[in-house]
């Protein structure tokens, strides 16, 4: 089945690159898609333009006016465009009955994207004999399997001058059902040989879209897994204590102990909620910062002294710094949280009996008119991390699989918040990992670059 959709996506791209005959390309695409998916109607929208369509009843072309969407309720269109197939009655979108003569159309759709930007919409329509009857499962959402290719096609179409044809009663006698995309002279291989730049662009774009799709799927899985794991234990604890209190009246001492257990479980749940809300606020609105001159070493020492030990793995924090460190221009609250998050991260993921090393030094300038900064690093020994995964450590909800398997607390938002805060302070953060002398371990180092006080661009 996967090969079928891959072949279909490629044949649709071939139609864009080398269309057979002098025909309106979107109509050919709609026809090809309709024949492959056994749809009565396919509607193809490029960008915000008027829709093109092809119907089994012989009507096809470009919709001649702007009334195609007129009688469709916005909430219905939004649901369809987001992949929710709906069987519609006359009152919900009468166009299908009046123009296409489909009594109960099953409309499925998908928005198309290229490099994160929406660039069109595709609808497929099947006829249902009875309102509310679902289509077979295997035909519910076939467009989703083609989303990457459809987004690329609409990007290509956006750069092509499309004809202004309105309703076309006849297409040329090209049988697209028998159209072989690998045969000469319509082969995209021949086309790519003549245009190597397009070949490179196509392969790179297709690979990027596939990687983004895989990463999105992994992110969704991470969110579900993390939220389930991190909320299950506190909720189970609260439920167990409540059940115990109901079954056996406690003594005042026992009551206080059990209330303390409930309070600790509540704090765990509240910490998860607070991090999610903070990240949302940081992303949606400008953080109101109070930039002032701060003595970095003093602030860092306070943060280290007040850092609560998370476990009994004997993590000693070592602080090394130059004695002549200039003050930095930063917000006190933000900088403290950055340091706290990085120390907490190091404590949680360090291997037992290993030090956490914090260093501060003046950053040597190597270029003219570069803003002066103070360099601050946080290093610790951890379980070996694949170098390819380092770039994802700042992504929201990202966690290494070994951390999930080890039931280490957290939802994967701490480093995301750190990066957001340091960038709002006009600083930078980076991460590197190097193999440790100990097998199966890495030394991971986070480097902060914080603007000095009075530094100018």
């Amino acid at each position: 089945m996967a090969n079928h959709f891959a072949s279909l996506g490629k044949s649709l791209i071939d139609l864009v690159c080398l269309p057979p005959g002098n025909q309106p390309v979107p109509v050919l695409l709609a026809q090809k898609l309709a024949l492959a998916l056994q749809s009565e109607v396919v509607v193809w929208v490029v960008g915000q333009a008027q829709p093109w369509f092809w119907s089994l009843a012989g009507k096809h072309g470009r919709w001649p006016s702007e009334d195609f969407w007129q009688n469709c309720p916005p909430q219905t269109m939004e649901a369809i465009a987001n992949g929710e197939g709906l069987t519609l009655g006359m009152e919900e979108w009468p166009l299908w009955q009046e123009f296409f003569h489909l009594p109960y159309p099953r409309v499925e759709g998908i928005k198309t994207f290229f490099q994160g930007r929406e660039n069109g919409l595709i609808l497929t329509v099947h006829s249902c004999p009875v309102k509310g009857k679902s289509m077979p499962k295997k035909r519910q959402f076939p467009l989703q399997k083609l989303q990457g290719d459809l987004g690329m096609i609409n990007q290509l179409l956006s750069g092509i001058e499309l004809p202004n044809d309105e309703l076309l009663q006849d297409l040329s006698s090209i049988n697209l059902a028998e159209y072989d995309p690998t045969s000469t002279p319509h082969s995209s291989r021949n086309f790519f040989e003549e245009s190597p730049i397009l070949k490179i662009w196509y392969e790179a774009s297709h690979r990027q879209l596939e990687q983004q799709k895989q990463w999105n799927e992994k992110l969704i899985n991470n969110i579900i897994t993390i939220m389930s794991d991190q909320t299950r234990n506190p909720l189970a604890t609260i439920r167990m204590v409540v059940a115990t209190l109901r079954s056996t009246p406690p003594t005042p001492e026992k009551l206080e102990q059990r209330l303390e257990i409930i309070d600790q479980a509540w704090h765990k749940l509240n910490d998860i909620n607070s991090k999610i809300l903070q990240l949302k606020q940081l992303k949606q609105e400008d953080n109101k910062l109070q930039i002032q001159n701060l003595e970095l070493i003093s602030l860092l020492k306070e943060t280290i002294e007040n850092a609560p030990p998370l476990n009994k793995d004997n993590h000693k924090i070592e602080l090394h710094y130059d004695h002549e460190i200039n003050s930095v221009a930063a917000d006190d609250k933000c900088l403290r949280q950055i340091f706290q998050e990085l120390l907490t991260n190091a404590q949680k993921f360090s291997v037992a009996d290993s030090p956490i090393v914090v260093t501060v030094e003046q950053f040597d300038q190597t270029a003219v008119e570069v803003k002066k900064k103070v360099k601050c690093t946080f290093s610790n020994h951890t379980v070996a991390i694949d170098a390819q995964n380092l770039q994802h450590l700042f992504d929201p909800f990202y966690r290494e699989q070994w951390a999930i398997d080890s039931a280490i607390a957290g939802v994967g938002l701490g480093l995301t918040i750190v990066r957001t805060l340091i960038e709002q302070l006009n600083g930078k953060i980076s991460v590197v990992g190097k193999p440790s002398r100990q097998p199966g371990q890495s030394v991971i180092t986070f480097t902060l670059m914080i603007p000095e006080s009075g530094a100018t661009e």
Side-chain angles (χ1 to χ4, degrees):
M1 183 60 69
N3 290 335
H4 166 73
F5 284 106
S7 177
L8 176 57
K10 185 177 183 300
S11 67
L12 291 171
I13 292 173
D14 283 326
L15 281 175
V16 181
C17 295
L18 282 175
N22 185 21
Q23 302 293 335
V25 176
V27 177
L28 296 179
L29 291 167
Q31 182 185 12
K32 182 72 176 179
L33 193 60
L35 293 173
L37 302 183
Q38 303 176 30
S39 302
E40 273 79 1
V41 181
V42 168
V43 177
W44 199 293
V45 181
V46 181
Q48 301 294 324
Q50 286 298 102
W52 296 80
F53 68 95
W54 182 90
S55 71
L56 190 62
K59 296 178 180 179
H60 34 256
R62 194 169 199 169
W63 197 258
S65 61
E66 298 182 358
D67 62 352
F68 187 88
W69 317 101
Q70 185 172 346
N71 295 316
C72 177
Q75 61 272 23
T76 300
M77 188 66 255
E78 186 65 21
I80 293 172
N82 288 325
E84 182 180 344
L86 299 177
T87 303
L88 306 176
M90 172 69 76
E91 70 284 354
E92 293 172 287
W93 196 351
L95 172 140
W96 301 108
Q97 293 86 356
E98 294 174 355
F99 187 80
F100 293 104
H101 307 295
L102 299 175
Y104 295 110
R106 170 77 178 183
V107 184
E108 300 169 4
I110 195 166
K111 295 177 181 178
T112 62
F113 297 85
F114 184 78
Q115 295 184 346
R117 294 185 179 182
E118 184 178 341
N119 63 2
L121 173 72
I122 313 293
L123 302 179
T124 61
V125 187
H126 305 274
S127 179
C128 277
V130 181
K131 187 181 187 310
K133 182 178 179 181
S134 298
M135 297 298 294
K137 280 285 184 183
K138 64 180 181 180
R139 288 175 55 191
Q140 283 261 324
F141 303 115
L143 290 177
Q144 291 181 348
K145 300 181 183 296
L146 294 167
Q147 189 171 30
D149 289 326
L150 296 176
M152 189 179 301
I153 288 169
N154 268 351
Q155 187 68 18
L156 288 169
L157 290 176
S158 65
I160 297 175
E161 185 176 351
L162 299 173
N164 293 321
D165 298 316
E166 295 185 353
L167 293 183
L168 304 173
Q169 295 305 318
D170 295 301
L171 282 176
S172 299
S173 57
I174 296 172
N175 189 348
L176 291 180
E178 298 177 357
Y179 174 66
D180 182 3
T182 63
S183 66
T184 306
H186 305 300
S187 172
S188 63
R189 180 179 300 176
N190 294 339
F191 184 78
F192 284 147
E193 288 174 356
E194 297 173 5
S195 181
I197 294 177
L198 178 59
K199 179 181 180 180
I200 295 171
W201 173 85
Y202 166 76
E203 291 177 349
S205 298
H206 193 277
R207 184 165 57 251
Q208 182 181 8
L209 288 170
E210 186 61 30
Q211 290 174 347
Q212 185 63 47
K213 177 184 176 183
Q214 293 174 0
W215 179 248
N216 288 343
E217 291 174 351
K218 185 176 181 180
L219 176 61
I220 292 172
N221 181 67
N222 280 352
I223 293 173
I224 295 172
T225 302
I226 291 168
M227 296 306 295
S228 174
D229 288 347
Q230 298 302 314
T231 59
R232 184 190 301 117
N233 288 342
L235 290 173
T237 299
I238 293 172
R239 182 178 181 181
M240 179 187 68
V241 173
V242 170
T244 303
L245 290 173
R246 284 176 173 170
S247 62
T248 306
T251 63
E253 182 180 351
K254 288 289 185 181
L255 176 61
E256 186 61 31
Q257 292 175 353
R258 288 166 185 171
L259 289 177
E260 179 62 26
I261 293 173
I262 292 178
D263 189 57
Q264 291 175 1
W266 177 86
H267 276 291
K268 290 181 180 179
L269 292 173
N270 188 60
D271 287 343
I272 294 172
N273 185 60
S274 297
K275 271 193 165 52
I276 294 173
L277 288 178
Q278 183 184 12
L279 182 61
K280 179 182 177 182
Q281 291 171 352
L282 290 175
K283 294 292 185 180
Q284 288 184 344
E285 58 187 41
D286 293 333
N287 197 13
K288 295 181 179 179
L289 303 175
Q290 295 182 352
I291 303 298
Q292 53 185 307
N293 296 335
L294 299 175
E295 296 297 330
L296 181 63
I297 301 302
S298 298
L299 191 150
L300 194 50
K301 285 181 177 179
E302 287 182 30
T303 307
I304 292 173
E305 290 173 0
N306 296 328
L310 295 182
N311 47 46
K312 299 179 181 179
D313 288 338
N314 191 27
H315 297 312
K316 181 182 178 181
I317 301 176
E318 301 177 3
L319 176 61
H320 306 280
Y321 57 92
D322 295 340
H323 289 284
E324 295 183 0
I325 295 293
N326 295 334
S327 60
V328 295
D331 178 274
D332 185 274
K333 182 178 179 182
C334 284
L335 199 54
R336 287 180 187 274
Q337 183 174 2
I338 289 170
F339 291 158
Q340 288 167 357
E341 292 287 356
L342 289 173
L343 286 173
T344 299
N345 183 77
Q347 287 177 310
K348 287 199 299 186
F349 299 109
S350 290
V351 296
D353 300 318
S354 64
I356 298 169
V357 181
V358 182
T359 63
V360 184
E361 59 183 324
Q362 294 294 142
F363 180 61
D364 294 331
Q365 304 300 314
T366 59
V368 180
E369 295 183 346
V370 174
K371 193 169 186 178
K372 294 183 179 180
K373 292 180 172 64
V374 174
K375 179 180 177 182
C376 185
T377 65
F378 292 73
S379 299
N380 64 281
H381 288 71
T382 185
V383 174
I385 298 177
D386 192 320
Q388 294 180 343
N389 293 344
L390 289 174
Q391 61 179 319
H392 299 307
L393 294 181
F394 298 106
D395 293 345
F397 297 103
Y398 178 81
R399 302 191 82 205
E400 286 283 296
Q401 189 59 48
W402 68 266
I404 298 174
D405 295 339
S406 303
I408 298 176
V411 292
L413 291 179
L415 291 176
T416 309
I417 291 173
V418 167
R419 182 178 63 179
T420 304
L421 289 174
I422 193 65
E423 288 177 352
Q424 290 183 353
L425 294 175
N426 295 319
K428 295 181 180 179
I429 186 170
S430 59
V431 60
V432 294
K434 296 181 179 180
S436 169
R437 294 179 181 178
Q438 300 296 325
Q441 295 183 15
S442 296
V443 177
I444 189 166
T445 301
F446 292 91
T447 301
L448 292 171
M449 305 298 291
I450 309 169
E452 286 186 7
S453 298
T456 57
E457 297 289 352

